[in-house]
Amino acid sequence: MKKVKSILLLSLMLFAVSAEARLTIEISEGVEGAMPIAVVPFGGEGSKVNAASIIATDLARSGRFAPLAAENLPGRPTNGKSINFAAWRAAGVENVVVGRVQQEAGDKLLVEFQLFDVVRGEQVTGYSIPATPARLRRVAHQISDIVYEKLTGQRGAFNTHVAYVTVEKDGPEKRRFRLAVADADGYNEQVILTSRQPLMSPAWSADGNRLAYVSFEEGRSVVYLQDIASGQREAVARFKGINSAPSWAPDGRHIALTMSRDGNPEIYILELRSRTLTRVTNNISIDTEPAWAPDGRSLVFTSDRGGKPQIYRVELNNYRPQGRPRRLTFEGLYNARASFSPDGSKLVMINGDGNQFRIAVMELNSGTVRVLTDSRYDESPSFAPNGSMIIFATERNFRGVLEAVSVDGRAHQRLGTSQGDVREPAWSPFISQ
């Protein structure tokens, strides 16, 4: 029970982080047998944003591709007519991306790219995408998504965002908490909120335009919703006791959350327009960390009603509970903080055994649980919107960092800052182009 209670106060475990720090990515473990590919420097690129380098890095950190190093490229073509396919085949490359950035009127740019199958000597796809210097990174991520989908059959998730919480030291015995959003590769950080009191549990709306989160600005936990673009926010749960762990329903009109307004921490569903509350659980134990199934017809949550924290599922009909919650996890002494994969076939969770808490994935059809990490204290796992990767918080060298692992456990990357800690990651849904 103590462990479940600590989940509700997770923000107290954050340490210091530099206010100017940006997330940086280190590919800590690649995948043997990744697809060899080359991304040739684009013609006409400026020095500030290197689209080809961004694309190559995106593909590499997916774990599915092994981009050829720039110094090993057998040529520098910028269009298909200039490609010597025999030379690229000799270099062991299966696919090659070429392109150029053209200056249009004013500050407008036109980014052209082509993806070729080197073995067949044929174009796979190619587009011309309008851009501006400020949007060039986003266009590069869009190209990465197109290449990834064409070669894997799965939608790419490079043009997405990550929300997270950091804390900076602000004098003796003082800290400053920040809720921030950045591109999935750590660039273009936008601070959503700064507070001297803890911020925690960011959760994305299905359209990617709003965040729900918990703030202690009033000296107690309050759930807020905030529009990312405008900064407008509103408190939606400031009842007595605990207000925590918000989770957006797929329809964007409801959130599930944990509250102790009636004495014990229980799961509730809040209809946002009417502010109508529906109580989902009713148990003497602690029920917390609700997460929606993609179809909105059930919730999973953490409960210690069986003696130790485990994952339970409750079916819903018109946002009302149907029947008793059903226990899903039995492997390990501790399972918590579960959420569904985008296709609803898997759960990601924290699996604890002894003093180690690691990321694990459960196949819902078979009940098979697979542990993906070997670190000691992992927290807050969140699926990428295409289900290929999982981002989570952990500790390295006594500092909090974010890491990502592929759903099969083969590819790993680390996202950290030069100083301090970063925690509570939440991967955004797909964003509009």
Side-chain angles (χ1 to χ4, degrees):
M1 185 178 294
K2 290 182 179 179
K3 186 62 181 179
V4 178
K5 290 180 179 178
S6 72
I7 297 168
L8 301 175
L9 301 174
L10 186 59
S11 63
L12 300 180
M13 303 177 66
L14 300 172
F15 302 147
V17 68
S18 165
E20 302 300 324
R22 177 185 63 78
L23 290 179
T24 57
I25 295 179
E26 170 195 349
I27 301 174
S28 53
E29 185 177 343
V31 175
E32 185 177 353
M35 187 182 303
I37 193 170
V39 184
V40 182
F42 284 12
E45 283 194 315
S47 58
K48 290 187 177 180
V49 178
N50 187 320
S53 177
I54 295 168
I55 296 165
T57 301
D58 281 347
L59 297 175
R61 64 189 175 88
S62 75
R64 304 287 294 274
F65 297 91
L68 193 64
E71 61 269 22
N72 296 329
L73 298 175
R76 299 288 177 110
T78 59
N79 57 65
K81 296 179 180 179
S82 305
I83 297 177
N84 181 340
F85 289 105
W88 290 95
R89 284 193 290 268
V93 172
E94 295 182 7
N95 296 276
V96 61
V97 178
V98 297
R100 55 184 175 173
V101 179
Q102 298 188 77
Q103 184 73 48
E104 303 281 285
D107 68 343
K108 295 182 179 179
L109 303 172
L110 186 66
V111 183
E112 299 179 341
F113 83 96
Q114 295 168 284
L115 168 66
F116 285 89
D117 183 319
V118 171
V119 177
R120 297 180 179 180
E122 297 175 352
Q123 179 173 316
V124 177
T125 191
Y127 287 91
S128 296
I129 304 175
T132 62
R135 285 179 49 87
L136 192 52
R137 289 195 67 88
R138 183 169 180 180
V139 169
H141 292 316
Q142 291 174 11
I143 294 172
S144 301
D145 285 341
I146 293 170
V147 172
Y148 183 92
E149 184 169 7
K150 284 294 180 181
L151 297 181
T152 69
Q154 182 182 47
R155 186 174 180 181
F158 304 111
N159 187 30
T160 55
H161 296 139
V162 175
Y164 50 91
V165 174
T166 63
V167 145
E168 62 178 281
K169 208 168 187 179
D170 193 27
E173 306 298 325
K174 293 183 180 180
R175 294 174 297 175
R176 182 167 306 205
F177 294 77
R178 301 187 316 155
L179 173 62
V181 171
D183 293 351
D185 65 349
Y187 281 80
N188 296 326
E189 182 185 81
Q190 175 186 354
V191 177
I192 303 300
L193 181 67
T194 301
S195 173
R196 292 187 182 277
Q197 300 301 320
L199 302 170
M200 60 188 297
S201 302
W204 292 90
S205 61
D207 61 9
N209 293 327
R210 293 181 291 172
L211 284 174
Y213 58 88
V214 178
S215 171
F216 285 78
E217 296 164 88
E218 299 179 13
R220 60 193 181 101
S221 58
V222 177
V223 174
Y224 282 87
L225 308 184
Q226 183 160 336
D227 183 87
I228 294 173
S230 69
Q232 293 183 342
R233 67 174 186 153
E234 59 176 336
V236 295
R238 53 158 53 99
F239 300 96
K240 66 178 181 179
I242 295 168
N243 303 277
S244 70
S247 175
W248 287 88
D251 68 0
R253 300 192 301 270
H254 299 77
I255 61 170
L257 67 165
T258 299
M259 295 190 296
S260 62
R261 63 192 300 268
D262 296 320
N264 199 58
E266 304 283 358
I267 306 299
Y268 292 80
I269 293 176
L270 173 66
E271 201 280 321
L272 295 174
R273 181 173 299 226
S274 67
R275 295 295 196 264
T276 301
L277 275 172
T278 300
R279 184 166 173 171
V280 176
T281 63
N282 190 351
N283 194 279
I284 61 173
S285 298
I286 293 175
D287 296 333
T288 185
E289 300 173 341
W292 294 86
D295 62 6
R297 296 179 181 177
S298 64
L299 288 168
V300 292
F301 61 94
T302 306
S303 177
D304 63 354
R305 61 183 63 194
K308 298 287 185 179
Q310 297 291 342
I311 306 302
Y312 291 77
R313 186 173 190 170
V314 60
E315 302 299 323
L316 303 173
N317 183 7
N318 196 26
Y319 298 99
R320 296 184 177 278
Q322 299 295 301
R324 298 178 61 184
R326 177 170 56 93
R327 181 170 168 176
L328 297 181
T329 54
F330 296 88
E331 186 173 328
L333 299 176
Y334 173 96
N335 290 283
R337 196 68 179 258
S339 60
F340 284 89
S341 61
D343 65 1
S345 67
K346 304 176 182 67
L347 289 179
V348 65
M349 67 192 77
I350 302 298
N351 174 269
D353 190 4
N355 293 322
Q356 293 183 316
F357 299 91
R358 298 171 174 175
I359 304 300
V361 168
M362 179 181 188
E363 300 285 346
L364 287 173
N365 283 342
S366 65
T368 303
V369 175
R370 184 173 67 257
V371 176
L372 304 182
T373 60
D374 60 1
S375 37
R376 183 176 178 183
Y377 197 86
D378 298 336
E379 305 166 352
S380 309
S382 175
F383 270 106
N386 66 356
S388 66
M389 301 285 289
I390 297 161
I391 194 169
F392 60 97
T394 191
E395 292 183 0
R396 299 289 181 184
N397 299 321
F398 305 103
R399 286 202 306 117
V401 299
L402 305 185
E403 295 193 359
V405 60
S406 59
V407 73
D408 60 7
R410 299 170 65 201
H412 294 256
Q413 58 186 257
R414 186 168 303 151
L415 301 84
T417 55
S418 57
Q419 300 177 18
D421 286 20
V422 56
R423 293 278 181 177
E424 301 264 2
W427 211 316
S428 80
F430 290 114
I431 62 176
S432 61
Q433 303 298 318

